[in-house]
Amino acid sequence: MGKTPKKDKKDKEKDEGEDDGRDYDTLLKGCSSISKPLAAKKLTKKIYKGVKKAAKANQICRGVKEVGKAIRKGSKGLCVIAGDISPIDVITHVPVLCEEANVPYVFVPSKQDLGAAGQTKRPTSIILIKKSDIEGYEELEKEIGSLAD
């Protein structure tokens, strides 16, 4: 009835990344065909880091309902959508909402990794990073904006 040993620091670092046998190319196979613009591998990592920083600063909205409501009310920011959502009909209206509201959006390959970056245990289909003074936000906004063009 003793305590279970805590994980080593190295084990925690492995858990945070995509090191559980799922690399970027494998994740792409699970993406829907409407997942465009899809972030490249390097940009995907930057987006996850940005989502993590925004979550710590409490500057994100999670989920289709919450994000849709925020966009309709006029919130500005970056919309990050998971590409492996099934059924895809759940999020097909969001890119249209984003374009009407002039909010840049991008697809990432994994809802599991998006949820982990947003500091939840559950997979997350969509996250809106609210416009704020988080480190690296402007750079992310510029890169995601250039993808849509």
Side-chain angles (χ1 to χ4, degrees):
M1 293 192 52
K3 288 186 178 180
T4 56
K6 291 185 178 180
K7 289 184 176 181
D8 293 332
K9 197 172 187 177
K10 290 179 184 177
D11 292 340
K12 283 187 180 180
E13 289 173 9
K14 281 185 181 178
D15 291 345
E16 289 176 5
E18 299 173 8
D19 292 339
D20 54 351
R22 303 175 315 142
D23 62 340
Y24 184 78
D25 297 325
T26 309
L27 293 172
L28 283 181
K29 291 176 185 172
C31 283
S32 173
S33 59
I34 70 158
S35 302
K36 295 191 178 29
L38 187 65
K41 187 175 184 176
K42 230 178 202 181
L43 182 57
T44 301
K45 285 188 178 184
K46 278 186 185 179
I47 290 169
Y48 290 151
K49 285 181 182 178
V51 168
K52 198 169 196 173
K53 287 176 187 175
K56 284 183 181 175
N58 203 16
Q59 293 293 316
I60 61 172
C61 295
R62 297 179 187 93
V64 179
K65 190 175 179 181
E66 194 177 338
V67 170
K69 185 177 179 181
I71 291 173
R72 272 189 242 103
K73 283 188 171 184
S75 290
K76 295 292 180 186
L78 302 173
C79 192
V80 183
I81 308 168
D84 61 346
I85 302 299
S86 178
I88 196 69
D89 297 340
V90 174
I91 57 160
T92 50
H93 67 286
V94 176
V96 177
L97 274 176
C98 290
E99 286 175 5
E100 288 175 356
N102 228 9
V103 174
Y105 66 94
V106 68
F107 285 85
V108 291
S110 172
K111 63 184 175 184
Q112 196 75 36
D113 294 337
L114 187 58
Q119 297 186 338
T120 59
K121 293 178 183 176
R122 303 275 307 153
T124 305
S125 57
I126 183 169
I127 286 181
L128 177 73
I129 304 172
K130 296 176 189 170
K131 198 166 204 150
S132 61
D133 56 346
I134 297 168
E135 180 187 335
Y137 177 83
E138 290 81 18
E139 185 182 335
L140 259 182
E141 188 175 37
K142 203 178 293 180
E143 286 187 49
I144 291 172
S146 68
L147 278 178
D149 296 336

